[in-house]
Amino acid sequence: QVQLVESGGGLVQAGGSLRLSCAASGTILRFNAMGWYRQAPGKQRELVAALTTRGTTNYADSVKGRFTISRDNTENAVYLQMNSLLPEDTAVYYCAADYRVVVSPGAYWGKGTLVTVSS
């Protein structure tokens, strides 16, 4: 059974940094697409950043220049370096992984890690 486990969330002051990690288990196949999504209270889940094995990246406009997504293809792991954090970045961050070229509705999801940015 495929499982994605996120780590690295926590409480940080505005302007600070956090690094999220997501590790997959239960599969020997390499995911083509891996990414990070977030959901703030009262809002819909939204894309933060996504990455394919070919190196194609996609970032939400709100995080461009501040967040960097990377992955370890050999370990089916994905990371999100978050710098210059803002209070509006507060949300539960979810890892997603898909064997398809992009993260699709059939993707695997982690349970999320909470990021809280204080002003």
Side-chain angles (χ1 to χ4, degrees):
Q1 183 177 0
V2 175
Q3 286 189 322
L4 302 177
V5 179
E6 304 97 336
S7 61
L11 174 64
V12 64
Q13 288 188 332
S17 298
L18 283 175
R19 186 174 187 255
L20 304 183
S21 300
C22 172
S25 62
T27 178
I28 60 173
L29 300 176
R30 188 172 66 185
F31 291 113
N32 279 320
M34 299 188 78
W36 291 94
Y37 289 70
R38 68 186 180 188
Q39 187 167 18
K43 295 187 177 182
Q44 291 187 333
R45 189 175 298 188
E46 62 176 1
L47 169 71
V48 177
L51 179 65
T52 69
T53 53
R54 295 183 177 182
T56 302
T57 58
N58 186 22
Y59 290 95
D61 288 342
S62 60
V63 307
K64 285 181 180 177
R66 301 188 297 121
F67 292 9
T68 303
I69 188 172
S70 60
R71 66 177 295 177
D72 183 339
N73 288 331
T74 62
E75 297 293 334
N76 253 352
V78 66
Y79 310 95
L80 186 67
Q81 178 66 42
M82 306 187 295
N83 299 327
S84 302
L85 283 160
L86 304 170
E88 48 263 46
D89 293 319
T90 295
V92 177
Y93 283 71
Y94 298 90
C95 173
D98 206 320
Y99 295 121
R100 297 173 179 84
V101 177
V102 296
V103 175
S104 70
Y108 296 96
W109 293 88
K111 294 183 178 180
T113 184
L114 178 62
V115 172
T116 303
V117 184
S118 63
S119 57

